[in-house]
Amino acid sequence: MNNIPALQKPLGMLGLGMVVLGSVLLLILLSVRHKQNIDPLFYVFAEFSFTCLMALTNALEQDGFIKGFMGFYVKMGEPHLSTAYSVLMCYWDGVVHFVVFLLIIHRMFKGKSYRELGLLWAGSSIANQLVLIPGTVVGKYGSNIGPAFLRNIPFFLVPFWAASLLLNRPREMPIIPADKVAMEQNKSLLSRPVDALLAVAALAAVAFTAFRGFVVLDCPLDACFTYTYQYEPYLKDPVGFPRVMMLVYLFYALPLLAACIYGLSRPGCGWMLDLTLLLAGALTQAQWCHIGASFHRRTPYTYRVPADKWWPVVVLNALYVALPILLALRCYAYPTYFMKHVTQAQTNAEKKKN
C-alpha cells in the first residue's frame, strides 16, 4: 500500500480494509468448518484479536519503535490515531484486549465459562468507542473524517450485541445455604465495614465525577478554573477526547456509581455482579487512556500535567479506577449479600429438609 497510490485514497483504503477483515473472517470460518456448535462469539473474538495486533502496530509506530506500517493509513484514513489518547488506546487493545481474547477462546474450547471475562471486555470496548467516535467528531480532527472512519461502526455495535448475549447467559454462583444468605442479608451497611467503606468511596467518586464534568463544561467557579490550569490542563486539549470522556463519566459512570451505592445497601441486588464487571472494564480502559495521554509526549506540553502536580493527579486518578475494580472483586469474592432474597419461610423449609 505504501507504493500503490490508488490504495492510499480514502475510498480505496476503506475498501481494502474491508477486504482484509473479510479475508481474516473467511480464514476463521475455514479453520473451524469441521467443528459443530461453534459459539457465535468465537468469530467476534477471533476477528477482533487480529485488529488488536493492528492497533498495537500503530501504537509502536507512533511511538517510534517501528516505521513504515501504519503511517499512510493514519495520514490519509484516520489522522486522529496519531493522538496521545489513540496511542494509549491502541496499546490497551494490542495488549490487554488481545490477552483477554486468547483467554476467552481457550476457555471456550475447553467448555468453560467465560462470561465474566466477556463482560469485562464488553465494558472496556464500549467505553472505548463511546469516547473515540464522538471525540473524533467534535475534536480538532472532525474536519478530517473520511470513509475509513466508518470502520468504527461495527466496533461500536458488536460489543453491545456481545454484552446482551453474555448477560442472558446464566452466571456461575456458589451454593450457599439459605440460612447463611438470610443472616448476611439481615446485616445493615454499618455492620459491614468493607461495604460501608466502598459506599463512602463511591460517594467520593460521584462527587469527583460531577466536578470534572463541570470543569469540561466551562463552569466559572474558581475551583474549576484552578483545577484545570494547575492540575489537569489536558481536560482542555482541543483533540476532544478528554472533554468527551468526562461527559461520558458524568452521564453514564455517575449514575452507575450511584446504582452501586444502592446495591451495597439493599440486599438481593444480583445485577451488582454484572454491573461491577462492566463498570470495572469501562473505567479501567478509560482511565488508562486518560492518565497516559496526560503525560504522553504527543500531548502538547501546555496540556500535560505540571511537574509539581504529578503525584496528586496520579493518586486521584488511580483511586478513581481502583474503586470499580475493588467493587467487582468484593461482589465476586463474597456474593452472598447480592444473591436472590431469601424469605424466613424458605429458610425454615430448608432447615426442615436438611
Side-chain angles (χ1 to χ4, degrees), residues 202-222:
L203 278 173
V206 166
F208 187 52
T209 301
F211 175 71
R212 291 204 292 186
F214 295 150
V215 167
V216 299
L217 290 173
D218 296 325
C219 176
L221 291 175
D222 290 341

Side-chain angles (χ1 to χ4, degrees), residues 25-38 42-43 109:
L25 182 58
L26 178 61
L27 290 174
I28 294 169
L29 291 168
L30 292 175
S31 69
V32 294
R33 66 185 185 280
H34 297 305
K35 295 184 180 292
Q36 296 181 347
N37 301 322
I38 298 296
F42 163 74
Y43 303 106
F109 282 94

Side-chain angles (χ1 to χ4, degrees), residues 175-187 267 335-340 342-344 346-348 350-351 354:
I175 299 174
I176 301 174
D179 58 338
K180 290 186 177 181
V181 174
M183 182 176 64
E184 181 67 21
Q185 293 184 347
N186 285 332
K187 296 179 180 178
T336 308
Y337 186 78
F338 307 104
M339 299 181 75
K340 187 178 179 181
V342 178
T343 63
Q344 186 62 39
Q346 290 173 310
T347 303
N348 295 334
E350 183 171 302
K351 286 181 179 179
N354 293 335

Side-chain angles (χ1 to χ4, degrees), residues 188-202:
S188 66
L189 183 61
L190 293 178
S191 62
R192 293 176 283 118
V194 173
D195 289 353
L197 185 61
L198 288 173
V200 171

Side-chain angles (χ1 to χ4, degrees), residues 147-161:
F149 186 71
L150 296 175
R151 74 168 185 87
N152 291 291
I153 294 176
F155 292 100
F156 176 74
L157 297 176
V158 169
F160 285 99
W161 171 70

Side-chain angles (χ1 to χ4, degrees), residues 2-330:
N2 282 319
N3 299 305
I4 304 176
L7 296 180
Q8 296 181 21
K9 294 180 179 179
L11 285 175
M13 296 177 71
L14 176 62
L16 187 60
M18 294 299 100
V19 170
V20 171
L21 293 177
S23 300
V24 172
L25 182 58
L26 178 61
L27 290 174
I28 294 169
L29 291 168
L30 292 175
S31 69
V32 294
R33 66 185 185 280
H34 297 305
K35 295 184 180 292
Q36 296 181 347
N37 301 322
I38 298 296
D39 190 324
L41 289 179
F42 163 74
Y43 303 106
V44 172
F45 298 137
E47 179 86 355
F48 277 29
S49 64
F50 172 77
T51 63
C52 285
L53 297 182
M54 295 171 59
L56 183 60
T57 302
N58 178 63
L60 293 173
E61 181 160 340
Q62 298 304 321
D63 275 344
F65 295 106
I66 57 176
K67 62 179 181 178
F69 291 92
M70 296 291 294
F72 67 92
Y73 181 81
V74 171
K75 181 179 179 181
M76 303 300 298
E78 297 188 77
H80 62 274
L81 291 178
S82 63
T83 63
Y85 173 86
S86 295
V87 171
L88 271 296
M89 175 195 73
C90 287
Y91 276 123
W92 185 268
D93 281 345
V95 178
V96 178
H97 282 173
F98 185 67
V99 172
V100 169
F101 290 149
L102 294 182
L103 290 173
I104 288 175
I105 293 172
H106 173 73
R107 293 184 66 85
M108 189 182 292
F109 282 94
K110 288 288 185 179
K112 298 179 180 179
S113 174
Y114 60 89
R115 189 177 183 277
E116 290 76 19
L117 278 173
L119 288 176
L120 279 171
W121 163 77
S124 173
S125 189
I126 289 171
N128 177 13
Q129 296 299 320
L130 283 177
V131 175
L132 178 68
I133 294 176
T136 303
V137 174
V138 305
K140 70 176 186 179
Y141 292 99
S143 59
N144 297 323
I145 292 177
F149 186 71
L150 296 175
R151 74 168 185 87
N152 291 291
I153 294 176
F155 292 100
F156 176 74
L157 297 176
V158 169
F160 285 99
W161 171 70
S164 67
L165 289 182
L166 293 168
L167 289 171
N168 286 321
R169 296 180 182 181
R171 67 172 69 94
E172 293 183 344
M173 296 289 290
I175 299 174
I176 301 174
D179 58 338
K180 290 186 177 181
V181 174
M183 182 176 64
E184 181 67 21
Q185 293 184 347
N186 285 332
K187 296 179 180 178
S188 66
L189 183 61
L190 293 178
S191 62
R192 293 176 283 118
V194 173
D195 289 353
L197 185 61
L198 288 173
V200 171
L203 278 173
V206 166
F208 187 52
T209 301
F211 175 71
R212 291 204 292 186
F214 295 150
V215 167
V216 299
L217 290 173
D218 296 325
C219 176
L221 291 175
D222 290 341
C224 295
F225 180 86
T226 301
Y227 186 81
T228 301
Y229 291 98
Q230 294 188 17
Y231 290 89
E232 287 200 70
Y234 177 63
L235 295 176
K236 294 296 184 179
D237 192 332
V239 292
F241 298 121
R243 179 185 295 267
V244 171
M245 182 179 291
M246 294 305 117
L247 293 178
V248 169
Y249 284 176
L250 181 64
F251 294 113
Y252 294 96
L254 189 150
L256 294 179
L257 287 169
C260 288
I261 297 172
Y262 174 83
L264 288 170
S265 58
R266 185 83 175 181
C269 295
W271 45 263
M272 279 284 288
L273 297 168
D274 295 334
L275 176 63
T276 52
L277 282 176
L278 290 167
L279 191 60
L283 289 186
T284 305
Q285 189 276 341
Q287 283 296 101
W288 159 262
C289 294
H290 179 71
I291 297 172
S294 299
F295 297 93
H296 198 273
R297 64 180 181 83
R298 285 190 168 270
T299 296
Y301 182 78
T302 53
Y303 295 112
R304 296 181 204 170
V305 176
D308 59 334
K309 298 297 190 297
W310 197 92
W311 279 109
V313 171
V314 170
V315 170
L316 272 175
N317 282 280
L319 290 174
Y320 189 78
V321 72
L323 173 63
I325 296 173
L326 292 174
L327 280 170
L329 290 174
R330 183 266 178 265

